[in-house]
Amino acid sequence: MDERRLLELFEQKKYIEIKRELSEMNEVDVAELLDPLDAHMTLLIFRMLPKDLAVEVFAHFSMEQQLGIINSVTDKELEYIMDELFFDDMIDLIEEMPANIVKKVLKSTKEDERKLINQFLRYPADSAGSIMTIEYVDLRKGITVKEALTHIKETGLNKETVYTCYVTDRKRTLEGFVSLRTLVTSDENLLIDDIMENEVIRVNTHDDQESVANVFRKYGFLALPVVDNENRLTGIITVDDIMDIMEQEATEDFQRMAAMAPSEEAYLDTGVFTLAKHRLPWLLILMVSATFTGRIMGKFENVLASVVVLSTFIPMLMDTGGNSGSQSSTLIIRGLATGEITTHDWWKVLWKELRISFIVGVALAAINWVRLILLEKTDILIAVTVSITIVVTVMASKIVGGVLPLVAKKLKMDPAIMAGPLITTIVDALALMVYFGIATVLLGL
């Protein structure tokens, strides 16, 4: 069903047909189909959905749609939604909603759930504890495979995943894990202790969500156990949740690399003044820092006055340096984000960028030399000055672009801030100093 078909059926009041066709669709597709509709129509169609599907669709609604539903449904309807929502989805909902809506939501939850919600909300923002869910299958040591399968059948419908089951002792200490495949293919009289895997990759409740995403990326897990400082199993993080985190972290990196303050709001849903506020501080910093470039040119004003032609090469040299630095910084920032590069690799990065920059610099200088001498008939000393400056600038730019993100990471800063705009500003000043320094020596100015 598409939007046009839905509107036609709605206008013809063929509600049974709407319900039948929507019930056959995936909940994500239903949420997208209802997204452009007005609040009144969305609510009417939402109430037509089977209860189980309605809850799943609600979890995929945007915050504005969820807010409209919560404000419109009865307390009984809201209570059913809250009861059926997966716990991590409920936590995400509460974290995003205004205080008055949170109060209404909490009123519709059970007392034991309210205590758990309050506990989750106390975890640091962007930590493993804040994104985990408590809906996992745990098995006690000492039980048989038959008892484990019975337990999964009784509780599995309410869990986010049953493919990986975690084994704990009486104190809830994480001892190991066993896959559903292993359970269903093992003798039912075997003990869990005999078939479980003892080596468990785990994360702590206070680990940063970005480091958790790196663990998922490295091992390719569908779920990851979360433990507290006493190694007690507290919850799990599933791959669908971590995919959202990866997207969020990537978006933040792109925004920082473009010299903007990170924002989780969608572009079209964000106000003009809010977007301006996110962009203005970095632009101001970069504008002020660019005054150093002007001061350098002012300092060598006599050089420019003596050989006016030198000024014609400044834009090319600055652009080449900025582009060279941006190439290196982009690769290193990405390597740090994926875990391919660590701060301990600084010497490897420095040595590699030094060799790359020499090859690139010499190639660009050679091409530029041919252009200046054969095509533009430039004075040989000026051609030498420009060509040497290109080599030195490219080498310096690539080294700066490669090393600065590592320095930022070492200082517990986001390496993404050492991206294009900032690198370009630094390299522009560097290129001018090198250019005028070489010109002063070679041209005797």
Side-chain angles (χ1 to χ4, degrees):
M1 179 188 288
D2 55 20
E3 184 182 348
R4 182 178 177 182
R5 165 82 173 156
L6 176 62
L7 293 175
E8 285 178 358
L9 293 176
F10 190 84
E11 288 174 2
Q12 297 168 11
K13 298 185 178 180
K14 294 182 178 179
Y15 302 134
I16 295 177
E17 197 166 343
I18 291 176
K19 180 178 180 180
R20 179 182 60 79
E21 292 195 25
L22 290 180
S23 299
E24 296 173 355
M25 294 175 61
N26 182 276
E27 61 272 13
V28 177
D29 294 330
V30 176
E32 288 184 356
L33 185 61
L34 300 183
D35 182 60
L37 305 182
D38 61 61
H40 177 68
M41 189 180 295
T42 299
L43 178 62
L44 289 177
I45 297 175
F46 179 77
R47 280 179 162 153
M48 296 178 197
L49 300 175
K51 286 188 175 181
D52 292 343
L53 178 59
V55 172
E56 293 174 348
V57 170
F58 180 85
H60 289 92
F61 272 156
S62 64
M63 188 182 72
E64 290 75 16
Q65 287 176 303
Q66 290 177 336
L67 190 59
I69 295 295
I70 292 172
N71 279 324
S72 304
V73 298
T74 64
D75 289 344
K76 187 175 181 180
E77 288 173 316
L78 182 58
E79 184 176 347
Y80 178 82
I81 293 173
M82 292 302 108
D83 284 344
E84 296 300 317
L85 269 181
F86 282 122
F87 193 80
D88 57 336
D89 290 330
M90 190 190 307
I91 295 296
D92 291 341
L93 172 68
I94 290 172
E95 286 181 330
E96 296 291 335
M97 291 294 171
N100 61 320
I101 300 299
V102 171
K103 186 176 180 181
K104 183 176 180 180
V105 170
L106 291 177
K107 184 180 176 183
S108 301
T109 58
K110 298 172 184 176
E111 184 177 351
D112 56 341
E113 279 192 334
R114 281 199 294 273
K115 291 179 180 178
L116 281 172
I117 289 170
N118 289 329
Q119 178 183 343
F120 269 67
L121 294 177
R122 283 196 293 269
Y123 285 116
D126 301 333
S127 67
S130 68
I131 59 174
M132 69 182 181
T133 179
I134 57 171
E135 284 147 343
Y136 56 88
V137 176
D138 59 331
L139 305 172
R140 289 295 175 86
K141 286 184 67 177
I143 67 172
T144 63
V145 170
K146 181 179 180 180
E147 291 171 326
L149 289 171
T150 300
H151 176 67
I152 293 171
K153 289 177 182 178
E154 292 173 350
T155 64
L157 285 175
N158 298 320
K159 308 303 180 184
E160 286 228 7
T161 180
V162 296
Y163 301 114
T164 303
C165 306
Y166 299 95
V167 183
T168 60
D169 62 15
R170 293 183 180 276
K171 296 181 179 179
R172 299 195 58 75
T173 302
L174 182 60
E175 297 285 343
F177 73 94
V178 59
S179 68
L180 184 61
R181 176 185 294 180
T182 302
L183 285 172
V184 299
T185 57
S186 298
D187 188 298
E188 63 180 17
N189 295 314
L190 285 175
L191 293 177
I192 291 296
D193 311 44
D194 298 327
I195 62 172
M196 73 177 186
E197 297 284 345
N198 295 304
E199 296 296 323
V200 189
I201 305 297
R202 68 201 75 189
V203 294
N204 188 274
T205 51
H206 287 75
D207 285 349
D208 185 80
Q209 63 182 22
E210 191 169 1
S211 64
V212 176
N214 288 334
V215 175
F216 269 92
R217 190 183 292 110
K218 180 178 180 180
Y219 294 100
F221 290 142
L222 293 176
L224 192 63
V226 184
V227 299
D228 60 15
N229 292 332
E230 284 74 44
N231 199 36
R232 291 175 300 199
L233 184 61
T234 307
I236 66 169
I237 298 173
T238 53
V239 67
D240 59 324
D241 291 321
I242 213 62
M243 285 176 66
D244 293 336
I245 299 303
M246 289 178 180
E247 181 182 356
Q248 177 186 330
E249 294 291 342
T251 301
E252 287 184 1
D253 284 347
F254 279 125
Q255 289 171 332
R256 287 196 173 100
M257 289 171 71
M260 292 187 293
S263 173
E264 295 182 8
E265 295 183 51
Y267 173 79
L268 294 177
D269 295 333
T270 308
V272 172
F273 286 103
T274 302
L275 288 172
K277 183 177 67 175
H278 288 161
R279 301 179 189 188
L280 187 58
W282 266 111
L283 289 175
L284 181 61
I285 292 171
L286 293 173
M287 183 184 73
V288 172
S289 62
T291 58
F292 292 110
T293 304
R295 290 189 177 183
I296 293 171
M297 293 183 70
K299 183 178 180 181
F300 291 94
E301 187 176 357
N302 60 327
V303 176
L304 288 174
S306 302
V307 187
V308 178
V309 71
L310 288 176
S311 62
T312 61
F313 300 108
I314 291 176
M316 181 267 290
L317 292 171
M318 293 172 67
D319 287 346
T320 301
N323 293 334
S324 299
S326 295
Q327 284 181 336
S328 299
S329 65
T330 300
L331 288 175
I332 302 305
I333 289 168
R334 185 58 185 162
L336 289 169
T338 60
E340 177 189 351
I341 300 172
T342 68
T343 53
H344 299 296
D345 297 321
W346 70 271
W347 172 247
K348 295 179 182 177
V349 171
L350 180 62
W351 176 231
K352 177 163 283 190
E353 288 299 323
L354 187 64
R355 289 177 291 166
I356 293 170
S357 62
F358 179 75
I359 295 171
V360 172
V362 170
L364 291 175
I367 294 170
N368 187 68
W369 171 269
V370 172
R371 180 179 69 88
L372 294 179
I373 296 298
L374 298 182
L375 299 181
E376 298 187 11
K377 309 298 182 181
T378 305
D379 181 84
I380 191 168
L381 284 179
I382 293 178
V384 169
T385 300
V386 174
S387 298
I388 293 176
T389 302
I390 288 176
V391 175
V392 176
T393 299
V394 169
M395 291 185 68
S397 301
K398 286 196 172 293
I399 291 171
V400 169
V403 172
L404 277 186
L406 293 169
V407 173
K409 185 73 172 179
K410 189 69 175 178
L411 297 175
K412 309 297 182 183
M413 298 166 62
D414 192 329
I417 65 174
M418 298 297 181
L422 186 58
I423 293 292
T424 300
T425 303
I426 295 172
V427 168
D428 283 350
L430 192 62
L432 285 176
M433 292 176 66
V434 170
Y435 184 41
F436 289 126
I438 294 173
T440 302
V441 173
L442 293 183
L443 302 177
L445 301 174

